[in-house]
Amino acid sequence: AVCALPKSLEGTGGPFNADCWDPAGLTKSNSEETILQWRAAELKHGRVAMLACGGWFHTAAGLHPIGDAAARTRVSDDPIIALQQLPAAGLMQVFFTLMCLEYMFTFVTPAPKDKPWDTLGMSEIVADEEKPSYKRLQLQEINNGRLAMIGIIGLIAGEVMTGDYFASVKNLCILAAAAPGGGGAGYFTPCSIEGFPPRAPFDFLTTSPLGGPPLAAIFGSVVPPFNLGA
């Protein structure tokens, strides 16, 4: 759809650079300031959703050493159950950290009014904000954020309704290489390299990453050209 966007949003309406995804026609009946604030809110929700999807996947893959340390036991690979297993003090620390970030970006170092989503001040270090490659990065962020918002809702709904938390993510070869007990067998076996994933993955729970075995001891069975043990 073709619709009027503030100058700072031109080329980033999505899903493509010449588009403006606005099925409700919100850009036609609201001020530029309101549209900018809504874009900032959309980007913030998208960023949080992308982090949430990443957190969900690595937890479902069995990679949750921080949660295990906080709970002083190995928590569930189901993210919803793992959340309930964390002590209240741990959840309060997460909440307090988020509130500190919100306060800082709202009152201490607020974003520019014409770019309320620019919390890190990228506009001050980017030489040309109209450069196509930079616009493309902005477009990728908004599109990935929109997808992540739908994705995390789907993951939560699927777990609540069916109990399936996408446990098959463990079978992705790159994750199975690090997850305790990972084997790489199942729905996803994209790696055809013999000996990969390794049969004895590094156990983050019992061995310190600094004092543990070298990478060659973990990935030494991988054949060239990925032979890290050579």
Side-chain angles (χ1 to χ4, degrees):
V2 178
C3 52
L5 285 174
K7 177 66 176 177
S8 56
L9 295 183
E10 290 180 359
T12 63
F16 302 103
N17 55 3
D19 297 331
C20 173
W21 190 76
D22 183 22
L26 299 177
T27 58
K28 299 177 181 179
S29 57
N30 289 279
S31 66
E32 179 174 327
E33 181 181 2
T34 299
I35 294 173
L36 291 174
Q37 289 295 333
W38 283 351
R39 170 52 64 89
E42 182 181 23
L43 280 170
K44 179 184 286 188
H45 284 88
R47 291 164 181 170
V48 171
M50 286 187 281
L51 289 173
C53 286
W56 185 287
F57 291 142
H58 82 71
T59 299
L63 300 173
H64 37 70
I66 297 178
D68 295 336
R72 298 184 179 181
T73 185
R74 178 167 176 78
V75 300
S76 173
D77 292 345
D78 185 327
I80 300 296
I81 297 177
L83 179 65
Q84 299 174 50
Q85 291 175 323
L86 287 179
L91 295 176
M92 289 301 297
Q93 289 176 28
V94 174
F95 180 77
F96 179 74
T97 301
L98 294 175
M99 291 301 98
C100 286
L101 291 174
E102 282 291 319
Y103 180 83
M104 181 178 69
F105 290 130
T106 303
F107 300 106
V108 181
T109 57
K113 290 186 177 181
D114 60 332
K115 300 181 183 71
W117 56 85
D118 189 13
T119 54
L120 297 180
M122 295 297 295
S123 59
E124 297 183 4
I125 61 176
V126 175
D128 183 10
E129 294 187 73
E130 299 302 319
K131 191 175 181 179
S133 58
Y134 184 65
K135 287 288 187 181
R136 186 166 57 252
L137 288 175
Q138 291 180 300
L139 190 60
Q140 290 172 352
E141 181 183 26
I142 189 67
N143 286 337
N144 288 329
R146 289 168 176 170
L147 178 61
M149 285 187 279
I150 297 173
I152 191 61
I153 291 174
L155 288 168
I156 294 173
E159 197 281 344
V160 171
M161 297 299 295
T162 68
D164 183 1
Y165 60 92
F166 193 34
S168 55
V169 72
K170 295 187 180 79
N171 299 321
L172 287 169
C173 61
I174 190 64
L175 293 176
Y187 297 116
F188 301 100
T189 53
C191 291
S192 58
I193 302 175
E194 183 180 357
F196 188 89
R199 295 182 180 178
F202 181 47
D203 190 347
F204 289 96
L205 302 178
T206 60
T207 308
S208 168
L210 297 178
L215 287 176
I218 310 171
F219 300 101
S221 61
V222 182
V223 296
F226 303 98
N227 189 357
L228 300 181

